[in-house]
Amino acid sequence: MLFMDRPAESLDELFDRESEVKMLLESVSRRALTLVLGMRRVGKTSVVRAATRGRLRVYIDARIFEERAYISYDDLLGALRSELRRILPLHRRLGELLGRIRGVSVAGVDVRFEMGRRAPNISELLEAFDQWAGERGERLVLIIDEAQELIKLRGRAILPALGYAYDNLRNIAMVFTGSKAGLLLRFLRLEDPDSPLFGRYVERIDLGPFPPELSVRYLEEGFRQAGVEVGEDLIRKAVEALDGVVGWLAYFGLRALRSPRTALEETLEYATRLAASEFCHFVEYTGSRRYIYVASICRNGARWSEVKRHLQATEGRPITDYEVTKLLSNLVNYGFLEKRGDLYVVADPILRKALEGLRC
Ligand SMILES: Nc1ncnc2c1ncn2[C@@H]1O[C@H](COP(=O)(O)OP(=O)(O)OP(=O)(O)O)[C@@H](O)[C@H]1O
Ligand SMILES: [Mg+2]
């Protein structure tokens, strides 16, 4: 069934995306690091999971850290542990290799990591993955979903381990997804000479929304599969409102199977609520309500100078150029704004709607 409420797990569950899957698979077999970038609900997890099904893979979901202000090293190891407990029953040899590492104990199909100062080194864990994959003559895909969340890691740095893996562990292909592209790039510091990943080549796959014709086909096909007739008019309206973001189209499709009359309204309401809550989290995290004004000013696009003027008028006092630039570039980094030529604009129509009279 084309409409699903969870990420796709196999290629036959994916609508379209053939070229992105092909690019990803080529990259995974040749490159050390691939980024899969795209806005919320656009289908990143689905493409990555479906494309890598059946391969050796370790999947870390960093999204679980989204609402946290910071992450400890033990938290990160905890996320890895839950994935390993899934893998180890099928792969005893990996357990053997991991069990040799200081700070790791493997008992049967369970794995435990020491905490705090005695915690194992990520590089050594990655070496074990590499050796395991090498012995099997395969490449292991290390997926970190929403990897930008790891920017919040405190206590130990993970970038040196990733840099080490990039340079030395030939049997590991890293795939990071990110819905906040700017933040992910900032985390990786590819252009910072002091970064372990400085100057490294990174393959980048941008997942975009479906163009309107494709969205229409997706909905038509989904309804056909479900054996439900839905009017052309409603499909056209939904495609217009949901802007080709497949996650929202899927949500709408599932709703429409039950109540076609209210489905679009319900989808928009839910999506808007989610966008508002995500934006308010960001405002809370940064501690600056100025972001609300700035994003509202940019709803339909605004130049830097307009943003400064409006902001000063709202606050009734001067604001430095530096501050205006910082506000705008943070909003871009977090994926709330896009820069198009001279204009800063809220690209996501759902966020645009959420910003109407937003209260955080
Ligand atoms: N190519 C596709 N064909 C059919 N359904 C899809 C496709 N891509 C995604 N979906 C559906 O859209 C929804 C969102 O997909 P997914 O979770 O992969 O997106 P995401 O970009 O990872 O979202 P998030 O930013 O919330 O993590 C899921 O219900 C999934 O089943
Ligand atoms: Mg996802």
Side-chain angles (χ1 to χ4, degrees), residues 29-326:
S29 63
R30 293 209 194 112
R31 307 281 175 224
L33 177 55
T34 310
L35 306 183
V36 177
L37 307 174
M39 64 161 79
R40 287 300 305 261
R41 311 308 289 156
V42 84
K44 303 172 293 295
T45 304
S46 294
V47 163
V48 171
R49 288 198 63 96
T52 59
R53 183 194 171 113
R55 303 200 169 219
L56 290 190
R57 76 175 169 196
V58 172
Y59 173 86
I60 297 175
D61 185 5
R63 164 69 48 74
I64 56 170
F65 302 125
E66 188 171 47
E67 293 187 4
R68 303 266 292 268
Y70 75 93
I71 315 166
S72 71
Y73 190 65
D74 293 336
D75 292 329
L76 176 61
L77 289 177
L80 181 59
R81 180 180 180 222
S82 38
E83 172 69 350
L84 289 174
R85 292 170 91 176
R86 218 184 43 73
I87 301 174
L88 288 183
L90 306 169
H91 299 288
R92 293 290 173 112
R93 175 63 181 151
L94 177 62
E96 259 172 53
L97 292 169
L98 289 171
R100 295 177 189 165
I101 299 171
R102 208 156 29 107
V104 181
S105 50
V106 177
V109 294
D110 195 10
V111 59
R112 281 177 194 284
F113 298 129
E114 300 263 354
M115 311 256 278
R117 281 188 28 233
R118 295 151 67 103
N121 223 313
I122 290 274
S123 309
E124 289 183 51
L125 297 171
L126 294 178
E127 276 173 349
F129 292 152
D130 184 65
Q131 186 179 341
W132 177 50
E135 286 175 6
R136 298 176 54 110
E138 293 176 55
R139 285 197 113 198
L140 176 141
V141 191
L142 172 68
I143 302 164
I144 306 184
D145 207 354
E146 302 296 335
Q148 75 276 340
E149 299 304 323
L150 299 186
I151 205 168
K152 302 173 187 164
L153 187 66
R154 301 288 177 265
R156 285 205 209 185
I158 187 179
L159 225 45
L162 300 179
Y164 172 72
Y166 188 109
D167 291 344
N168 301 294
L169 306 179
R170 297 300 154 101
N171 304 311
I172 295 184
M174 296 180 277
V175 175
F176 299 167
T177 81
S179 51
K180 299 164 188 163
L183 199 60
L184 179 55
L185 295 170
R186 214 175 79 193
F187 164 58
L188 298 174
R189 295 175 28 227
L190 301 170
E191 284 158 30
D192 171 357
D194 295 328
S195 162
L197 285 172
F198 174 67
R200 303 299 189 278
Y201 178 78
V202 165
E203 199 73 65
R204 173 176 169 156
I205 299 172
D206 286 286
L207 276 192
F210 289 154
E213 330 71 83
L214 207 58
S215 302
V216 169
R217 264 211 285 134
Y218 167 79
L219 288 177
E220 283 174 350
E221 188 155 334
F223 289 128
R224 195 184 46 74
Q225 275 185 13
V228 170
E229 280 215 22
V230 169
E232 216 176 279
D233 214 38
L234 180 58
I235 291 187
R236 204 180 32 75
K237 267 198 199 139
V239 167
E240 226 163 77
L242 301 173
D243 214 33
V245 176
V246 61
W248 295 128
L249 295 173
Y251 187 92
F252 164 75
L254 286 169
R255 285 265 158 197
L257 296 183
R258 297 224 169 281
S259 49
R261 236 173 15 85
T262 52
L264 181 55
E265 202 183 311
E266 285 165 355
T267 307
L268 281 171
E269 195 201 294
Y270 178 61
T272 310
R273 205 154 16 95
L274 217 69
S277 132
E278 198 174 359
F279 190 75
C280 287
H281 267 121
F282 166 78
V283 170
E284 199 180 310
Y285 171 68
T286 56
S288 170
R289 301 185 61 79
R290 276 181 173 164
Y291 287 109
I292 305 176
Y293 301 125
V294 176
S296 306
I297 296 164
C298 297
R299 270 184 52 215
N300 298 309
R303 284 173 218 286
W304 185 96
S305 53
E306 288 172 83
V307 171
K308 179 166 173 170
R309 195 154 34 79
H310 278 283
L311 203 55
Q312 293 193 138
T314 312
E315 296 195 4
R317 62 192 172 91
I319 292 169
T320 63
D321 290 358
Y322 170 80
E323 183 63 19
V324 176
T325 301
K326 193 186 84 184

